[in-house]
Amino acid sequence: VCDEHSDYKDAKLLYRFRKDDGTFPLSKDVKVFMRGQSLYEKLVSMEESILKVREENSVKYQRTFLGCEMIDWLVQEGEAENRKEAVELGRALLEHGIIQHVSNRHHFFDSDILYQFWINFRRRRRLTELLNENSSRALSESPDSPFCLRKLNPDPGNTSFLSVQTNKEIKIVSAVRRSSITSLAGNSNPYFSTTPTLVFPPVAECNPKSVLKRPVTNEELLSPGAPYVKKTLTIVGDAVGWGFVVRGGRPCHIQAVDPGGPAAAAGMKVCQFVFSVNGMYVLHLDYQTISSLIMTGPRTLVMEVMEAVE
């Protein structure tokens, strides 16, 4: 508490949580994420919350609100001093993937446009999933583990999940456990076991092709006027991992996303390109190096991705 010891000791010394006294250094990305979480918790706990199930173009959306409705609420609750400040807050939340326009066509405006919270901060993994996870195998034993898609304790006859690509094509991907993935040195393609419940899988039997329609270079991504938009995703890992597969190199791309995992909840999509990881520029790296960066980083992962404009 007196800042005299820089390390933690097994002794009769007093320590404090730095977040409690405001000395913990937070990046802008983490601050926006925490602000979004605070607003979400406040909204869902209200009796007459503005968050409701609404319908647009015959499609129902969860946790929705009107832009002007949110502005009214932010000013009324003292979360923003005026409507201009409230709009700036809404735009920051959208740019960080916490809220979005229901059909992803508009930025945040003080209008009757329909938005929704993209992240469900109260989502908790089912107890059965946690109990079935093999806790004896440490995450660090497999460099691919945070990206491995999984469906624990699958129902009989249903050992697949749907991975929705940006072009709305539905792709069936074999379900695997975190420990059921291996890779060959120097090869950027993943190998999936066909038996999702095995802890030690047999030799892989299939090799999924890249989801990219064609190779994309860094020069193409970064050229002026290129049809790509950058997004910031804040992904809070759960007991199983982050729930996505990254492959390729220079640039790496998102090969698949677990629809029920943290990455999907944060807005990650198949075919996005990985621009940065926790503030580090990574377009020039291969997927093994990016894997290592994430494995050795914090549980809360901040990624910048680039996706094609539809």
Side-chain angles (χ1 to χ4, degrees), residues 33-265:
F33 179 82
M34 293 177 67
R35 186 74 186 279
Q37 184 176 27
S38 172
L39 293 174
Y40 182 87
E41 291 292 345
K42 194 171 180 179
L43 282 165
V44 296
S45 61
M46 294 175 61
E47 288 187 9
E48 295 294 329
S49 176
I50 62 174
L51 298 186
K52 299 175 182 176
V53 177
R54 291 182 174 90
E55 189 174 305
E56 184 172 285
N57 296 328
S58 301
V59 179
K60 286 187 176 181
Y61 297 96
Q62 304 286 334
R63 305 182 294 277
T64 68
F65 56 88
L66 300 176
C68 55
E69 230 177 13
M70 176 62 82
I71 299 297
D72 292 340
W73 182 82
L74 289 171
V75 174
Q76 178 185 331
E77 294 294 316
E79 296 287 348
E81 291 189 7
N82 50 56
R83 301 188 78 82
K84 180 182 178 182
E85 186 179 304
V87 169
E88 291 174 355
L89 173 57
R91 286 181 162 250
L93 294 175
L94 188 142
E95 289 169 1
H96 284 75
I98 295 170
I99 66 173
Q100 68 170 18
H101 175 246
V102 290
S103 56
N104 213 17
R105 294 180 180 177
H106 300 285
H107 211 308
F108 185 78
F109 295 102
D110 184 359
S111 66
D112 59 356
I113 297 176
L114 192 61
Y115 300 90
Q116 69 179 153
F117 269 88
W118 182 244
I119 298 179
N120 180 0
F121 290 99
R122 288 193 168 183
R123 174 188 175 273
R124 294 291 183 269
R125 186 154 297 281
R126 287 180 296 125
L127 181 60
T128 53
E129 290 182 321
L130 298 177
L131 293 176
N132 278 280
E133 177 62 15
N134 186 352
S135 59
S136 64
R137 291 178 64 84
L139 207 69
S140 58
E141 288 183 10
S142 168
D144 293 313
S145 57
F147 314 104
C148 186
L149 299 173
R150 71 275 191 244
K151 180 177 181 181
L152 303 181
N153 198 19
D155 300 325
N158 182 14
T159 56
S160 299
F161 60 79
L162 296 180
S163 180
V164 184
Q165 300 187 36
T166 52
N167 60 4
K168 301 299 185 288
E169 175 187 350
I170 303 296
K171 181 181 181 65
I172 303 295
V173 184
S174 298
V176 297
R177 284 192 57 169
R178 184 197 296 169
S179 55
S180 301
I181 195 168
T182 58
S183 59
L184 295 182
N187 193 323
S188 63
N189 292 318
Y191 289 78
F192 292 83
S193 163
T194 56
T195 309
T197 55
L198 290 180
V199 176
F200 300 100
V203 176
E205 298 179 13
C206 62
N207 180 12
K209 295 181 180 179
S210 170
V211 294
L212 299 179
K213 293 182 178 179
R214 62 177 181 81
V216 176
T217 63
N218 286 337
E219 291 73 18
E220 184 179 346
L221 277 178
L222 301 175
S223 63
Y228 295 95
V229 61
K230 188 192 297 181
K231 292 185 177 181
T232 301
L233 309 178
T234 304
I235 308 166
V236 181
D238 59 19
V240 185
W242 287 272
F244 66 96
V245 173
V246 63
R247 282 295 179 265
R250 305 174 185 88
C252 288
H253 65 273
I254 304 302
Q255 174 76 7
V257 180
D258 176 1

